[in-house]
Amino acid sequence: MEDQLALFEIPNKVTDRKSTTFADNLRLPVHRWFRYSAGFSAEWVKQVVRDQYHPDMKVLDPFAGSGTTLIACDEIGIESVGYEKHYFVRKIAETKSLYSLDLEEAERRALRLLNYFGDKTSDFQTQPELLKKCYTEDTLSRLTALKNAYLALRDSSPAWDFVWLLITSILRTTSHVGTAQWQYVLPNKRKASTPSVETAYRQKMREMISDLHLFRRSQVTRKSAILDFDARDRNESYENVFDLLITSPPYPNNYDYADATRLEMVFWGEIKGWSDLQSAVRKDLIRSCSQHASAEKLDLDVLLGQREVHPIAEELADVCRTLEKTRQEHSGKKAYHTMIAAYYWDLARVFNALRPSMKPGSELCFVIGDSAPYGVYAAADEWLGKLALAAGFQAWSFEKTRDRNIKWKNRKHDVPLKEGRLWIKG
């Protein structure tokens, strides 16, 4: 087993358990503008990059999300490339990178929208149901006034992209119900207090302007690029290019990443509701939730027969067949059996697509978490390690950062889970 897994050691790793969560980024300039439910510490990214720094190095993040890796690399001054198929999240990352923005012009345009509060109203009853659950009539009227003013006045200037993210960033702050930064809205949960739309808007505007002034004083310039590209596909534009990869793919734990920004997307009219997510976003993402597997009507035998999953075929089939039977004992009968099979096939394709882009001797770090749908454990670290070796990488090692599924009340199973970093040697 030791020879097969080809374990290796990497010195000087950050072991802080929070480094694989977004928590630390809430105090960091620019990173804190929009709290994405999936993420990891930008300070940890910078430490990893500095440990391997050379002036010509290039970094890849094939699941770029809201841009943590890319912005961290910009702060250090090295080139980076990110792939992201969730178009709404990609727009957030792109807007966070507007370091050269004309700040006076951006502030003028942002303040201009506040003049629309007095004479713009909206019909609360005609608003989407999700918005009516999340806002009082007055708050939604004011948010809608901001949106309508933005839509009426915007042009192609980057300053208006700044204003778009400013409005987007206060949508959860101004809601009086449970709108924590995961995909679920909890209308029966009430916040103790919420700021007015104008207060939240002005506070966020000052924060964003201040952060860009700080980046400018620190001479941060953009050297990153974020692409609308699927990590499962080989990118022939980047052959033998990257020295380092830092990323966090979706976890196979039934978290619906397409749903993570549903509130924001409904507000902007990108979708009407949950039923639109499959066609608008989910179809382009890694298959990590049962909703995706069900929508695609996946066939387990076809998935298990894919060439890319042969290195883990026996273990994968055992888990998926068990899930196929176990799901019949549950009222939801969720398609976890095909979800797990599709997920590991997708990640196998990712490793195969990445191998040509990474230089010999390069290093890859995947922040990952394992799963146990219906209490049936799937060993993410070991399986992904084997798939990486089969794709042509040299070795792997897993570094646990924290335990999961040990504190929540009413959790659905009692299988302990873990989160950590899968290090892969190119």
Side-chain angles (χ1 to χ4, degrees), residues 267-281:
F267 175 80
W268 285 109
E270 303 281 352
I271 59 174
K272 293 181 179 179
W274 186 88
S275 61
D276 293 337
L277 289 174
Q278 177 66 24
S279 60
V281 178

Side-chain angles (χ1 to χ4, degrees), residues 199-360:
T199 298
Y201 186 87
R202 290 183 181 276
Q203 287 176 344
K204 179 59 75 170
M205 181 186 67
R206 286 194 292 268
E207 175 189 282
M208 293 170 69
I209 294 290
S210 174
D211 287 354
L212 287 178
H213 276 300
L214 180 61
F215 264 41
R216 197 155 296 177
R217 290 195 297 271
S218 301
Q219 298 183 324
V220 177
T221 58
R222 185 174 184 183
K223 293 190 174 183
S224 61
I226 186 164
L227 310 179
D228 177 8
F229 192 81
D230 192 328
R232 293 168 289 191
D233 297 331
R234 179 171 175 172
N235 193 336
E236 296 182 356
S237 298
Y238 295 106
E239 299 280 329
N240 195 34
V241 167
F242 298 105
D243 306 275
L244 177 65
L245 180 150
I246 302 175
T247 196
S248 180
Y251 293 3
N253 60 4
N254 209 36
Y255 182 95
D256 187 357
Y257 289 85
D259 203 1
T261 53
R262 176 160 51 116
L263 175 64
E264 290 81 5
M265 293 168 69
V266 168
F267 175 80
W268 285 109
E270 303 281 352
I271 59 174
K272 293 181 179 179
W274 186 88
S275 61
D276 293 337
L277 289 174
Q278 177 66 24
S279 60
V281 178
R282 196 186 295 125
K283 62 180 175 58
D284 296 321
L285 305 183
I286 296 294
R287 292 170 290 186
S288 62
C289 66
S290 60
Q291 298 93 326
H292 196 163
S294 296
E296 293 192 356
K297 297 180 172 59
L298 301 175
D299 184 285
L300 182 58
D301 290 329
V302 171
L303 295 169
L304 294 176
Q306 296 301 319
R307 171 184 55 82
E308 291 88 348
V309 299
H310 283 182
I312 61 170
E314 185 176 346
E315 308 100 296
L316 182 63
D318 182 57
V319 167
C320 292
R321 294 299 182 194
T322 301
L323 284 169
E324 188 177 27
K325 296 177 182 178
T326 303
R327 68 190 290 260
Q328 301 302 325
E329 303 168 4
H330 296 263
S331 59
K333 293 183 174 57
K334 293 185 178 180
Y336 289 141
H337 59 311
T338 52
M339 179 200 86
I340 289 292
Y343 175 85
Y344 286 97
W345 180 30
D346 282 349
L347 267 291
R349 293 165 60 195
V350 169
F351 287 130
N352 280 282
L354 289 175
R355 177 58 275 187
S357 294
M358 304 305 298
K359 292 181 180 178

